[in-house]
C-alpha cells in the first residue's frame, strides 16, 4: 500500500541498536512483565482465529507470568472502507476469542486498520475512530496510567493526511500539548514506557529491494513529527522505551538513550508466514524498579 507525505531525509538520527537494555544492578527488582502484541489483523480466514488463540495461550504460559498485554493496534483485519456487516463480524470474532482464550488485562491503542474511513459514511456517529473506541471502551484514543511504578503512555499516532483522504503518523497539536503536560507532570524518577501504533522512529523502511541511494520514508510509516517528539523526550530522561508495530518487522534501535522497538506482528505477513525475516510473534518485556528493562521477541510457533 502506498502511503503519502513522503519524508525524504532522515538525517543522522538513526544509530545502531545497543546490545543490552541497560546496566543491570544487584538491587533491581522486576515490578511488571508485559506482552506487547501488535498487528493481529484478525479475520475468519487463513486459520487466523486458531493462530491468534495459540498466541494468547503462549503468552499466558510464560514463566514468570505475564501481568498485562499491551495491544499495539490493527486489532481487526481491516475497517478501511468496509461495510458495517464485515466490521461487526471482525470485532465480534476478536471479542469472542479474547473472552474464551485470554484471562489477562489488555491495554489498547488504535491502529490505522481499526479506523473506519469510508467516504460515503462520514456523517455517521461511528465514523473514524469512534466505532473502535466504543468496542474497546475507550473515552479517548490517547491516555496514560501508572502500573507498579512505571508510567505507561498510549498515543494515537494515526491521523488524516493534509488532503483528508488517507493517514499519516503524527500526534497533532492538541495531543502533543497533552503529551508535554503528561511528561512535565510525571515525577522525574518515574520511568516512562510509550506505546504507539506507527513507529515514532524506525529504520525498517530503509529495507527495500534494489534501492541505490534513493531511499524514501513515507509519512504513513513513521511519525512525521519525529523531530519534535524526540526533542521533547530529550528534556525528559525518564522516557526509557517506545513500543510500536505497524511495519510487521522486528527492530530495535536506540537514540538519545531512548530505546525504540518495533515488535513485528502477531499475524506476521497478514497470516501468510514471515514478513521478510520476521516471524509471527510478540514482545516480552520485563520492567524493573530502577527504570531498566529487558526484552526479547517471541515466535509463538517455535
Amino acid at each position: 500500500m502506498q502511503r503519502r507525505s513522503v519524508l525524504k531525509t532522515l538525517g543522522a538520527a538513526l544509530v545502531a541498536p545497543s546490545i543490552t537494555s541497560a546496566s543491570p544492578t544487584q538491587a533491581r527488582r522486576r515490578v511488571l512483565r508485559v506482552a506487547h502484541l501488535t498487528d493481529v489483523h484478525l479475520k475468519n480466514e487463513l486459520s487466523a482465529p486458531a493462530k491468534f488463540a495459540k498466541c494468547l495461550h503462549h503468552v499466558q504460559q510464560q514463566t514468570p507470568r505475564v501481568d498485562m498485554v499491551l495491544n499495539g493496534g490493527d486489532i481487526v483485519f481491516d475497517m478501511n472502507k468496509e461495510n458495517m456487516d464485515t466490521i461487526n463480524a471482525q470485532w465480534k470474532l476478536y471479542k469472542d476469542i479474547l473472552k474464551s482464550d485470554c484471562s489477562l488485562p489488555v491495554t489498547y491503542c488504535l491502529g490505522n486498520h481499526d479506523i473506519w474511513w469510508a467516504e460515503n459514511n462520514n456523517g455517521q456517529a461511528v465514523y473514524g475512530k469512534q466505532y473502535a473506541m466504543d468496542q474497546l471502551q475507550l473515552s479517548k484514543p490517547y491516555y496514560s496510567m501508572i502500573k507498579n511504578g512505571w508510567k505507561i503512555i498510549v498515543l494515537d499516532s494515526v491521523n488524516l493526511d493534509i488532503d483528508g483522504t488517507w493517514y499519516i503518523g503524527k500526534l497533532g497539536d492538541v495531543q502533543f500539548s497533552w503529551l508535554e503536560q503528561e511528561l512535565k507532570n510525571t515525577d522525574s524518577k518515574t520511568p516512562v514506557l510509550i506505546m504507539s501504533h506507527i513507529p515514532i522512529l524506525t529504520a525498517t523502511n530503509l529495507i527495500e529491494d534494489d534501492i541505490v541511494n534513493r531511499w524514501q520514508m513515507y509519512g504513513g510509516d513513521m511519525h512525521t513529527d519525529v523531530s519534535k517528539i524526540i526533542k521533547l523526550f530529550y528534556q525528559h530522561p525518564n522516557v526509557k522505551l517506545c513500543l510500536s508495530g505497524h511495519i510487521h518487522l522486528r527492530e530495535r534501535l536506540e537514540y538519545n538513550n531512548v530505546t525504540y522497538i518495533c515488535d513485528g506482528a502477531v499475524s506476521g505477513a497478514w497470516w501468510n508466514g514471515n514478513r521478510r525475516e520476521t516471524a509471527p510473534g510478540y514482545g516480552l518485556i520485563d520492567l524493573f524498579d530502577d527504570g531498566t528493562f529487558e526484552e526479547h521477541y517471541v515466535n509463538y510457533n517455535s
Side-chain angles (χ1 to χ4, degrees):
M1 177 188 299
Q2 181 165 331
R3 300 180 173 116
R4 300 180 183 176
S5 297
V6 179
L7 299 180
K8 294 188 177 179
T9 60
L10 286 178
L14 305 182
V15 298
S18 62
I19 296 174
T20 60
S21 310
S23 299
T25 64
Q26 293 286 339
R28 73 175 185 169
R29 177 176 62 90
R30 180 176 52 238
V31 293
L32 194 65
R33 173 169 261 207
V34 301
H36 178 221
L37 278 63
T38 187
D39 296 85
V40 175
H41 288 284
L42 189 65
K43 64 177 177 178
N44 200 15
E45 297 177 32
L46 300 171
S47 300
K51 293 174 184 175
F52 178 44
K54 180 180 180 180
C55 177
L56 291 172
H57 297 165
H58 199 278
V59 169
Q60 293 167 100
Q61 291 164 3
Q62 290 290 338
T63 305
R65 68 181 296 275
V66 170
D67 298 302
M68 64 183 298
V69 172
L70 298 178
N71 187 306
D74 282 1
I75 299 159
V76 295
F77 190 76
D78 192 15
M79 283 180 61
N80 296 335
K81 303 180 182 180
E82 284 286 0
N83 63 62
M84 192 55 72
D85 288 342
T86 299
I87 291 170
N88 289 337
Q90 289 181 6
W91 280 97
K92 182 179 185 304
L93 177 62
Y94 176 79
K95 291 196 286 188
D96 286 348
I97 292 176
L98 208 70
K99 182 178 179 179
S100 63
D101 293 281
C102 183
S103 61
L104 297 173
V106 184
T107 295
Y108 293 97
C109 76
L110 297 182
N112 53 293
H113 288 276
D114 303 321
I115 298 170
W116 189 38
W117 283 332
E119 290 88 341
N120 297 325
N121 299 295
N122 60 8
Q124 296 195 26
V126 294
Y127 180 74
K129 300 171 184 176
Q130 192 59 53
Y131 181 102
M133 289 171 59
D134 290 346
Q135 294 295 313
L136 300 172
Q137 298 183 322
L138 297 177
S139 59
K140 292 183 67 176
Y142 53 91
Y143 54 97
S144 70
M145 65 186 73
I146 296 288
K147 290 287 186 182
N148 295 6
W150 277 71
K151 172 164 272 193
I152 298 173
I153 297 178
V154 178
L155 297 178
D156 175 18
S157 57
V158 184
N159 286 278
L160 282 173
D161 203 343
I162 54 176
D163 62 3
T165 62
W166 205 234
Y167 70 90
I168 55 175
K170 68 176 183 179
L171 298 181
D173 293 339
V174 173
Q175 187 180 180
F176 186 83
S177 295
W178 172 87
L179 178 60
E180 281 185 307
Q181 285 302 119
E182 277 292 313
L183 294 177
K184 180 180 179 181
N185 295 334
T186 301
D187 191 302
S188 62
K189 295 180 181 179
T190 300
V192 176
L193 180 156
I194 291 177
M195 178 170 66
S196 63
H197 178 66
I198 296 174
I200 293 171
L201 181 66
T202 181
T204 57
N205 292 320
L206 300 178
I207 305 171
E208 296 186 48
D209 297 321
D210 304 318
I211 298 296
V212 180
N213 200 30
R214 287 293 183 271
W215 284 276
Q216 293 182 333
M217 188 77 78
Y218 292 98
D221 288 340
M222 187 176 81
H223 268 253
T224 58
D225 50 2
V226 54
S227 297
K228 190 176 178 181
I229 295 173
I230 283 174
K231 183 178 180 180
L232 176 62
F233 290 169
Y234 188 68
Q235 299 167 19
H236 299 277
N238 54 329
V239 176
K240 303 295 185 181
L241 176 61
C242 294
L243 301 176
S244 68
H246 188 54
I247 309 296
H248 294 223
L249 296 176
R250 160 66 180 183
E251 169 200 52
R252 173 174 169 157
L253 59 84
E254 186 175 310
Y255 180 66
N256 281 346
N257 297 316
V258 179
T259 301
Y260 298 83
I261 293 174
C262 185
D263 258 328
V266 171
S267 63
W270 300 272
W271 303 112
N272 279 298
N274 291 7
R275 163 77 165 135
R276 289 190 179 270
E277 297 80 20
T278 299
Y282 61 92
L284 189 62
I285 303 128
D286 290 308
L287 305 175
F288 294 87
D289 59 354
D290 63 354
T292 62
F293 64 89
E294 294 179 357
E295 64 81 33
H296 62 281
Y297 187 67
V298 180
N299 174 1
Y300 60 86
N301 289 317
S302 62

